[in-house]
Amino acid sequence: MVYETMSPKETFALGEKMGQKALPGQIICLNGDLGVGKTVFTQGFAKGLGIEEPVNSPTFTMIQVYEEGRIPLYHFDVYRIGEPEELYEIGYEDYFFGEGVCLIEWSNLIEEMIPSDRILVTIEKELEKGLDYRRVIVEEA
Ligand code: ADP
Ligand code: MG
């Protein structure tokens, strides 16, 4: 599926819809350049799960867990990872194979660690269409 959004609000709303439908054990990979809207999408997704507390990119901790929603949200941002094996240090298996849903910003950096059964969300800009235009491509494995 390909969606087009014209504002952060619309990307948030798209994330919110996916969050409402999210299931335990799902792994959602979020890719796209810095500033494209991965965290905005995640904030909507969290809202869709019923999470009220503020959600930001866990750039330095790599993982942030939110328990207050319908199911747990495991929000990864692996932008600063050196090598995929560093995931073992944060006990990633508990999350990838846990009770909640994983949302992984920059999953392309840990490609070999991701189970093949995942949902791929890629966000792209296209400057000719305006600064706030985003194409959001959702591919189910
Ligand atoms: P990322 O996590 O991909 O690095 P962020 O979500 O932190 O990016 O930031 C996206 C930025 O782009 C925000 O400042 C947001 O206001 C802006 N923006 C402009 N248009 C859009 C849009 N259509 N969708 C999402 N964000 C947008
Ligand atoms: Mg981010």
Side-chain angles (χ1 to χ4, degrees):
M1 288 288 278
V2 179
Y3 302 89
E4 294 179 299
T5 72
M6 302 297 176
S7 66
K9 222 175 138 184
E10 286 183 31
T11 301
F12 184 99
L14 195 58
E16 187 175 2
K17 264 193 216 151
M18 276 186 76
Q20 286 165 353
K21 290 186 281 185
L23 300 171
Q26 273 181 340
I27 296 183
I28 298 169
C29 297
L30 256 181
N31 289 298
D33 293 342
L34 206 60
V36 84
K38 298 182 294 299
T39 297
V40 169
F41 181 93
T42 303
Q43 288 164 341
F45 192 92
K47 170 97 187 297
L49 284 171
I51 295 163
E52 297 290 345
E53 66 185 287
V55 171
N56 291 298
S57 260
T59 305
F60 292 96
T61 52
M62 282 210 284
I63 166 91
Q64 182 71 51
V65 179
Y66 301 89
E67 303 269 12
E68 67 169 299
R70 180 169 59 77
I71 55 175
L73 170 62
Y74 310 130
H75 179 203
F76 290 77
D77 181 332
V78 298
Y79 182 61
R80 290 179 187 276
I81 202 162
E83 46 189 352
E85 287 69 27
E86 284 174 32
L87 282 179
Y88 290 109
E89 292 160 27
I90 58 167
Y92 82 101
E93 293 124 313
D94 291 348
Y95 307 115
F96 278 26
F97 310 105
E99 302 296 307
V101 53
C102 290
L103 225 156
I104 310 171
E105 296 190 42
W106 296 99
S107 74
N108 57 308
L109 299 176
I110 54 164
E111 185 67 42
E112 66 251 54
M113 308 292 282
I114 311 255
S116 58
D117 186 8
R118 81 271 187 275
I119 296 170
L120 198 54
V121 177
T122 308
I123 310 179
E124 300 170 348
K125 292 187 189 182
E126 195 173 318
L127 290 178
E128 299 79 66
K129 299 202 176 183
L131 281 180
D132 290 351
Y133 172 90
R134 301 290 189 273
R135 186 181 299 111
V136 184
I137 303 153
V138 180
E139 298 164 277
E140 316 243 344

